[in-house]
Amino acid sequence: MDWQGQKLAEQIMQVLLLVFAVVSLVAGYVLGSFQTMMLVYAGGVTLTTLITVPNWPFFNRHPLKWLDPGEAEKYPKPQVAVSSKKKGTKK
Amino acid sequence: MHSFGYRLNGLLTFSLTILAMMCAIASLSDNLNTPSPSAEIQIMNINWFQKQPQGNDEVSLTMNISADLQSLFTWNTKQLFIFVSAEYETPKNSLNQVSLWDAIIPAKEHAKFWIHTSNKYRFVDQGNNLRGKEFNLTLHWHVMPKTGKMFADKIVLTGYSFPEEYR
């Protein structure tokens, strides 16, 4: 998933869960059945999981552009100074 | 969010927090209910009325209890616990409450009922004050919810009294 995709996934998750909470509360209250509320909400959680948790392609529409290996070799990494190794002796 | 596990964990915790809030709202919705219960208790017979060897009065009675408690049920009610208690005053105690009978009503359909029964629990006084005593029979109920606050209330029925002599 890319950065935009992560943000989208989080937003979709929050909105869907809140919507299902409200819908299940209203459905349960109107029908007078606590079980209805729990079942609708459980269905909503499952649906939200299926939509937002797996790494679907539509979450990767702005893919990160990693540096091409050929380009990287033109600019070698700076060398870490390894020659000066002090003997840390305390007297 | 950064990985499968991260998103799954976030979703699960958020969904459980929301579930807790839904249960709180469901409990609050019980306050919208305006119940109108009714009940009547008749004492059909005083089976016996004796003084125990220890000196305490004991009485056994047969009652006919009828009630309509259907309006107490809401969508968030698991069951109704009801009990009948006899209340009276003695020189020793300003209030005596003796539980005589109880029942659990699991569903609205069973909440309109009548029952002809003797007292389930023994009616023993602390002392021998019952002869000629006036007492109230009170039907208490506890509305036990599926989630949230439990409500309790009662109906007091007055005008009952014991016989003047043992029998």
Side-chain angles (χ1 to χ4, degrees), chain A residues 1 6 24 34 41 52-53, chain B residues 1-2 7 11 15 22 147:
Chain A
M1 248 191 222
Q6 287 178 11
S24 64
F34 198 84
Y41 185 62
T52 63
V53 174
Chain B
M1 301 182 267
H2 308 293
R7 286 192 295 277
L11 186 146
S15 66
M22 282 161 60
T147 141

Side-chain angles (χ1 to χ4, degrees), chain B residues 47-64:
Chain B
N47 305 328
W48 44 265
F49 182 15
Q50 291 294 326
K51 186 169 168 170
Q52 287 181 337
Q54 297 94 332
N56 297 326
D57 280 349
E58 184 174 349
V59 66
S60 162
L61 14 97
T62 302
M63 303 172 280
N64 190 350

Side-chain angles (χ1 to χ4, degrees), chain A residues 56-73:
Chain A
W56 299 115
F58 67 83
F59 286 126
N60 207 21
R61 278 193 292 221
H62 305 269
L64 295 163
K65 284 211 284 229
W66 294 105
L67 193 59
D68 190 55
E71 285 285 319
E73 281 179 11

Side-chain angles (χ1 to χ4, degrees), chain A residues 1 3 6-7 9-10 13-14 17-18 21 24-25 28-29 32-34 37-38 41 45 48-49 52-55, chain B residues 1-5 7-8 10-12 14-19 21-23 25-26 29 32 74-76 146-147:
Chain A
M1 248 191 222
W3 305 117
Q6 287 178 11
K7 182 173 169 185
E10 183 167 356
M13 178 202 83
Q14 288 170 340
L17 282 181
L18 282 172
S24 64
L25 256 180
Y29 186 73
S33 163
F34 198 84
M37 177 177 97
M38 296 306 283
Y41 185 62
V45 170
T48 310
T49 313
T52 63
V53 174
N55 196 3
Chain B
M1 301 182 267
H2 308 293
S3 72
F4 186 92
R7 286 192 295 277
L8 186 63
L11 186 146
L12 284 174
F14 193 52
S15 66
L16 285 177
T17 308
I18 291 186
L19 183 64
M21 284 179 19
M22 282 161 60
C23 288
I25 295 177
S29 78
L32 298 171
T74 69
W75 71 304
N76 186 28
K146 291 196 169 100
T147 141

